Amino acid sequence: MDEALLRSLTPSVLALLVRRGADFAAAEDAVQDALVEAVRVWPADPPRDPKGWLVTVAWRKFLDQSRADTARRRREDRAGEEPAPGPAPAADDTLRLYFLCAHPSLTPSSAVALTLRAVGGLTTRQIARAYLVPEATMAQRISRAKRTVSGVRFDRPGDVATVLRVLYLVFNEGYSGDVDLAAEAIRLTRQLAAGIDHPEVAGLLALMLLHHARRAGRTAPDGSLVPLAEQDRGRWDTRLIAEGVAILQAALARDRLGEFQAQAAIAALHADAPTAEETDWVQIVEWYDELLRLTGNPVVRLNRAVAVGEADGPRAGLAALAELDGSLPRHTAVAAYLHERDGDLEAAARLYAEAAHHAANVAERDHLTRQAARLNARRRH
């Protein structure tokens, strides 16, 4: 069973049903039913046109759902709209579906959650984990969002900024989470950049490409995480780096700085350094200052503390860290790193072990545990 194929087809099948007039919530239910049917049928009898098969079955599922509470005339009208046998249209409606999920009637958080569920294919549990809320809370939020857009016409797009946030979250989930959606996020962002002349769209595309270029170096053969400073830069994709830098430079030349352009500039400085020791940390701190001016985000402040520790020494970094809320994600891990840089191995080992207990995923937990063990071993010898 090709789960990747099912995931890639789901958004366009859902979009086709909605474009044909299906209620959004009912359309998603019908598509999910069709996916279940595909899992049951395809291993023994794979279709020649998987997308067309899903469209046909999902539409019939939708009609079955509609018959229970729809008048006879309406049923007959809809039955006449059933797609004829044959290949499904090749048009990619996925990006239009992103805009529908980013409709102005939704709050940004609801729009992101709905898109990640309906288009990105993430589970409610994965989305809840990203938002740090209970799964039941996120399920209710997604259900309310589906009801909100159910009566919305498909040709009423939402806000570009919300779509960018959605794409960025999808990319991050694909980059480090359970489901690989990074390539899909890049594809959709390329499509958005081709259709919208906006420097922040270009900034987001550049940021994705620069991060994606380092992907091969982020893990060791055994699957363990490799910190940026220890990565084999020969494994980085220089073609993606060059493309990302060129896109970023063109966006910055328009003098309409936004948060994604600033983040991309930081990523570009890391990518440009031949070795970790040659990283221009002073410039990186300056870009973090710009990013703080744009967002005021506490996580940006945390990352800035790391950069300050590299540019001005670990004690300067610890002083910057002391001004931040200790409950921030990764705060303890950053404190451990800066204490290690300052030579306090006992405190660093203790903090690495503490950070491991609060790690967001198994790979991060194992990495922090190894860091604590490494320092404890050094102290014993």
Side-chain angles (χ1 to χ4, degrees):
M1 190 67 217
D2 191 344
E3 294 184 7
L5 174 63
L6 281 179
R7 186 178 296 281
S8 68
L9 293 176
T10 298
S12 56
V13 173
L14 175 57
L16 280 168
L17 263 64
V18 174
R19 186 145 58 94
R20 288 190 173 121
D23 172 272
F24 184 91
E28 196 204 12
D29 289 341
V31 171
Q32 294 302 317
D33 288 343
L35 294 175
V36 172
E37 187 75 3
V39 170
R40 186 182 68 82
V41 173
W42 286 12
D45 185 20
R48 285 181 293 180
D49 177 16
K51 182 178 178 181
W53 189 98
L54 285 172
V55 169
T56 300
V57 173
W59 187 254
R60 287 174 179 168
K61 295 286 185 183
F62 169 68
L63 292 178
D64 290 342
Q65 295 166 2
S66 299
R67 289 190 180 101
D69 52 12
T70 303
R72 180 180 178 83
R73 178 63 180 272
R74 183 58 176 161
R75 293 202 307 268
E76 292 173 352
D77 290 343
R78 287 195 182 280
E81 298 170 9
E82 182 171 343
D92 185 357
D93 286 322
T94 306
L95 193 60
R96 295 181 64 198
L97 192 58
Y98 269 98
F99 274 101
L100 177 66
C101 292
H103 193 269
S105 58
L106 296 173
T107 63
S109 61
S110 292
V112 169
L114 178 62
T115 307
L116 291 175
R117 176 71 183 90
V119 187
L122 275 64
T123 66
T124 303
R125 177 175 298 178
Q126 288 170 319
I127 303 169
R129 190 171 66 240
Y131 274 92
L132 304 177
V133 300
E135 185 176 352
T137 301
M138 182 54 66
Q140 292 174 354
R141 182 181 300 175
I142 292 172
S143 294
R144 287 195 299 269
K146 285 169 63 176
R147 289 195 298 271
T148 299
V149 300
S150 288
V152 173
R153 289 183 58 82
F154 193 65
D155 58 355
R156 294 179 59 192
D159 178 58
V160 174
T162 304
V163 175
L164 292 180
R165 284 192 291 272
V166 168
L167 291 168
Y168 188 43
L169 282 177
V170 173
F171 177 81
N172 283 336
E173 185 69 29
Y175 192 63
S176 60
D178 303 326
V179 181
D180 185 359
L181 292 171
E184 177 68 3
I186 291 173
R187 183 185 73 83
L188 289 170
T189 306
R190 286 188 187 279
Q191 187 175 345
L192 184 64
I196 298 178
D197 183 19
H198 194 298
E200 271 294 82
V201 176
L204 177 59
L205 178 57
L207 177 62
M208 288 180 177
L209 293 173
L210 289 164
H211 277 311
H212 205 56
R214 303 202 303 258
R215 186 172 189 174
R218 292 183 74 243
T219 54
D222 63 0
S224 60
L225 291 180
V226 180
L228 177 61
E230 301 172 21
Q231 289 178 18
D232 177 0
R233 300 183 178 221
R235 300 185 66 195
W236 291 359
D237 189 327
T238 55
R239 179 186 60 81
L240 287 183
I241 290 173
E243 182 185 4
V245 168
I247 292 171
L248 173 63
Q249 289 175 338
L252 291 175
R254 302 178 64 175
D255 199 22
R256 290 169 52 195
L257 184 65
E259 61 179 294
F260 289 120
Q261 294 169 74
Q263 288 186 59
I266 293 168
L269 286 167
H270 283 298
D272 188 52
T275 65
E277 293 73 23
E278 295 174 86
T279 303
D280 190 342
W281 287 106
V282 173
Q283 262 204 85
I284 288 176
V285 171
E286 292 173 354
W287 276 111
Y288 272 122
D289 288 339
E290 289 288 345
L291 194 53
L292 271 176
R293 180 180 60 81
L294 292 165
T295 68
N297 190 311
V299 175
V300 173
R301 293 185 186 278
L302 184 69
N303 292 332
R304 180 185 180 277
V306 176
V308 168
E310 299 289 354
D312 300 328
R315 295 196 176 180
L318 287 167
L321 188 66
E323 301 175 1
L324 305 180
D325 185 347
S327 66
L328 279 172
R330 293 184 55 251
H331 186 283
T332 307
V334 169
Y337 173 75
L338 291 172
H339 276 290
E340 180 183 356
R341 287 283 316 282
D342 197 37
D344 189 347
L345 302 189
E346 180 180 358
R350 175 178 53 80
L351 289 166
Y352 275 129
E354 180 183 340
H357 287 294
H358 304 288
N361 54 62
V362 173
E364 184 179 346
R365 182 197 66 195
D366 291 347
H367 170 71
L368 293 168
T369 300
R370 284 192 297 270
Q371 296 292 80
R374 174 180 58 82
L375 293 186
N376 283 326
R378 282 180 59 187
R379 290 171 58 219
R380 285 193 294 270
H381 293 86

